[in-house]
Amino acid sequence: MDGGGEEGKQQPQLVLAHKLFLLSQPDVDDLAKVGLRDDVLAAVKSDDMAALYESLAAEGVLEMDAALLAEMRGRIEEETKKFDEKIADAEENLGESEVREAHLAKSLYFIRVGEKEKALEQLKVTEGKTVAVGQKMDLVFYTLQIGLFHMDFDLISKSVDKAKILFEEGGDWERKNRLKVYEGLYCMATRNFKKATSLFLDSVSTFTTYELFPYDTFIFYTVLTSVITLDRVSLKQKVVDAPEILAVIGKVPHLSEFLNSLYDCQYKSFFVAFSGLTEQIKLDRYLQPHFRYFMREVRTVVYSQFLESYKSVTMEAMAASFGVTVDFIDQELSRFIAAGKLHCKIDKVAGVLETNRPDARNAFYQSTIKQGDFLLNRIQKLSRVIDL
């Protein structure tokens, strides 16, 4: 893995991680899985990923070939000895920068062959030989890429925190902007969509993290997270009218229709585009764990937007607007109302929806009273402890 990536060139290990994810999904057909399995085996052989090969064979994803495994391990051992010799030679005959480069080369080799623990250990050794903040940041990016390959959120979180501390010492804007995308991806993968949206939108015009994903995939993530976290005015200013987004949104199937039909209140078209996007969301390794949650949140946004225009509306009119049946709307809204997601009630006899939007000022007042009671209770408990 490289710390940076050329435009449009995703890191091979992250491409491999996505293929491994697809192999584990029941929605991917068997014929496609045959091709994916061949691609995975070719990548494993090409980079001598012995540890990954062994675990995949144990899981039944690949067939075990003992001779191939021994061959890969032999090459790894041989290459490791060569790196150790280069490090020893650099320490004896060359300067500090050459020693650091030799250690870095060994770190990158362990990353390439998929030896996670050895790679992390070697990166720490390399960091000890590194003085410049920018170079230390590059080592953090390597660690983040390892974390993303293994979906090790603890490692990613610690690395992001470490990078922020390094930036307090200095660091250039290009690396700071790259970190925003890494952190945004981490937030999205851990369901902190609000923070992910903020970080992604900050990076729309400065995106250079092609090692993670292409720019159109980045826009796909930005639009999806924005739709469920931004209010209508912010969505128009920051996403719908953003020139950088407009330039590439058409490259992602259904995405432009999804965004624009929501903003233009074309609900029938929105549902068609939304159903077209579901397969992409379900087969994305970062979004798939949150698929049901995301589907729920999008529907909450669109139903709330529709109901905001009315004090009361017939269920028949709402069903016609969305291009679905009255029974479907009845079941959908019942669930959302029961969960407290929508502020309305259903008059089943009259077939009418009546909205009861909460008064913002009254809600703030109630919240303040509640927090005040909580604070008084805490003070009373604390005073008892002090009296003791």
Side-chain angles (χ1 to χ4, degrees), residues 148-161:
L148 288 168
F149 179 84
H150 294 279
M151 293 298 250
D152 184 341
F153 294 128
D154 184 50
L155 177 63
I156 296 168
S157 177
K158 286 175 180 173
S159 299
V160 168
D161 290 342

Side-chain angles (χ1 to χ4, degrees), residues 175-355:
R175 287 184 176 93
K176 283 184 181 178
N177 289 328
R178 283 176 61 207
L179 180 66
K180 283 181 182 178
V181 179
Y182 278 89
E183 188 180 2
L185 183 59
Y186 164 69
C187 290
M188 186 182 77
T190 53
R191 205 182 284 185
N192 187 349
F193 290 119
K194 195 171 184 67
K195 191 172 182 184
T197 300
S198 174
L199 290 162
F200 284 158
L201 287 172
D202 281 350
S203 309
V204 164
S205 59
T206 57
F207 180 84
T208 56
T209 45
Y210 296 101
E211 68 272 16
L212 293 183
F213 33 64
Y215 189 59
D216 52 350
T217 302
F218 171 68
I219 294 301
F220 172 66
Y221 292 150
T222 304
V223 170
L224 291 188
T225 54
S226 297
V227 161
I228 61 170
T229 57
L230 296 181
D231 60 64
R232 189 172 162 78
V233 175
S234 300
L235 188 69
K236 172 74 169 168
Q237 290 173 346
K238 298 178 180 179
V239 183
V240 175
D241 290 342
E244 295 88 357
I245 292 175
L246 286 170
V248 297
I249 195 170
K251 293 181 183 178
V252 182
H254 310 291
L255 191 61
S256 179
E257 297 89 339
F258 171 77
L259 176 64
N260 291 306
S261 58
L262 172 65
Y263 186 78
D264 295 335
C265 304
Q266 302 293 322
Y267 300 113
K268 204 179 285 188
S269 303
F270 172 81
F271 259 37
V272 171
F274 186 33
S275 62
L277 277 176
T278 54
E279 194 71 11
Q280 286 171 263
I281 298 166
K282 202 186 285 187
L283 296 180
D284 185 280
R285 67 190 291 256
Y286 304 111
L287 288 171
Q288 190 269 344
H290 317 294
F291 176 71
R292 289 169 67 86
Y293 172 85
F294 183 80
M295 298 290 281
R296 220 169 32 241
E297 289 301 301
V298 170
R299 276 146 51 214
T300 302
V301 167
V302 75
Y303 294 147
S304 297
Q305 180 175 291
F306 176 85
L307 292 169
E308 206 156 302
S309 307
Y310 301 93
K311 192 167 180 67
S312 67
V313 62
T314 65
M315 293 180 70
E316 201 174 324
M318 186 170 179
S321 292
F322 283 90
V324 294
T325 64
V326 172
D327 286 341
F328 176 82
I329 283 291
D330 185 17
Q331 288 175 2
E332 279 275 275
L333 297 188
S334 298
R335 282 202 300 268
F336 286 111
I337 292 166
K341 294 276 189 182
L342 293 176
H343 302 290
C344 64
K345 59 184 180 181
I346 300 173
D347 183 341
K348 188 77 172 171
V349 177
V352 171
L353 283 161
E354 294 178 6
T355 59

